[in-house]
């Protein structure tokens, strides 16, 4: 099955000049979604994770079912103010300004093996921040994985862990 056939390009979203890679058709096609999860399970399973960390929000769609398939835990990396209870936060620079991501303070035990997941790797800023946040609480971050990588943005160069992606787009 050709997974790229289940990704839709939407021009000028969210603003003019941007081509948005929409995973909705893949999610709606049971066979394509099952195949994507199978392939990701092979890649991510090699890291022997205790937990999969999904980045808000489409990373949840990838990490949660994959955690079930691999028999490991799932944790949410969320934007500031979205999680209840005690939290640990990490702020990072964006092209224009800053952003903050958080996890619940008791989500990880020091030394647990974690793989970070998101639907798309672009510039690498958010996933790099997620890796730093996880390490801040003692996680052993083994890798990162994505459905899609926008290779022309060189995001993987910002990562200091192995990175896997199922699909790569060069423009």
């Amino acid at each position: 099955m050709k997974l790229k056939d289940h990704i839709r390009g939407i021009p000028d979203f969210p603003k003019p000049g941007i081509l948005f890679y929409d995973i909705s058709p893949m999610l709606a096609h049971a066979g394509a979604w099952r195949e994507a999860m199978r392939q990701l399970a092979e890649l991510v399973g090699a890291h022997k994770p205790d937990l999969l960390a999904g980045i808000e929000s489409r990373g949840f769609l990838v990490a949660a079912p994959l955690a079930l398939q691999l028999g490991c835990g799932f944790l949410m990396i969320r934007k500031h103010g979205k999680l209840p209870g005690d939290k640990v936060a990490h702020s990072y620079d964006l092209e224009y300004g800053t952003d903050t991501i958080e996890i619940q303070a008791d989500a990880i035990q020091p030394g647990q093996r974690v793989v970070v997941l998101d639907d798309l790797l672009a510039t690498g800023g958010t996933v790099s921040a997620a890796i730093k946040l996880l390490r801040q609480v003692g996680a052993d971050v083994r890798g990162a994985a994505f459905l899609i990588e926008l290779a022309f943005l060189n995001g993987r160069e910002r990562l200091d862990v192995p990175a896997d992606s199922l699909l790569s787009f060069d423009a």
Side-chain angles (χ1 to χ4, degrees):
M1 174 175 296
K2 190 173 176 187
L3 293 178
K4 274 190 177 181
D5 290 344
H6 300 280
I7 303 297
R8 174 175 47 204
I10 299 178
D12 299 321
F13 183 82
K15 61 184 182 179
I18 302 292
L19 177 61
F20 182 81
Y21 292 90
D22 184 14
I23 66 169
S24 297
M26 179 183 286
L27 294 170
H29 189 282
W33 187 234
R34 188 177 309 107
E35 179 59 18
M37 288 298 99
R38 185 195 68 72
Q39 289 182 28
L40 275 176
E42 283 184 22
L43 296 170
V44 172
H47 297 291
K48 308 264 188 262
D50 298 309
L51 292 167
L52 299 185
I55 297 174
E56 184 171 347
S57 67
R58 289 184 304 266
F60 297 172
L61 298 172
V62 179
L66 192 57
L68 281 173
Q69 188 171 345
L70 293 175
C72 60
F74 164 70
L75 70 97
M76 296 179 286
I77 298 174
R78 299 220 53 193
K79 295 174 185 170
H80 175 71
K82 301 282 187 170
L83 289 170
D86 293 333
K87 295 163 288 298
V88 178
H90 178 77
S91 295
Y92 61 104
D93 293 326
L94 299 169
E95 188 174 349
Y96 300 103
T98 62
D99 206 351
T100 301
I101 54 175
E102 298 176 330
I103 59 172
Q104 290 176 313
D106 61 355
I108 298 174
Q109 300 304 310
Q112 282 189 300
R113 297 178 307 273
V114 180
V115 175
V116 180
L117 285 109
D118 207 353
D119 67 319
L120 184 129
L121 173 61
T123 64
T126 302
V127 71
S128 178
I131 291 166
K132 289 175 183 166
L133 172 59
L134 294 165
R135 286 182 176 149
Q136 186 179 324
V137 296
D140 176 6
V141 182
R142 297 289 179 101
F146 312 91
L147 289 174
I148 298 169
E149 178 176 356
L150 304 182
F152 60 95
L153 294 175
N154 302 314
R156 74 173 45 234
E157 292 177 10
R158 294 182 70 174
L159 308 181
D160 63 356
V161 298
D164 294 301
S165 56
L166 295 187
L167 305 171
S168 181
F169 290 89
D170 292 321

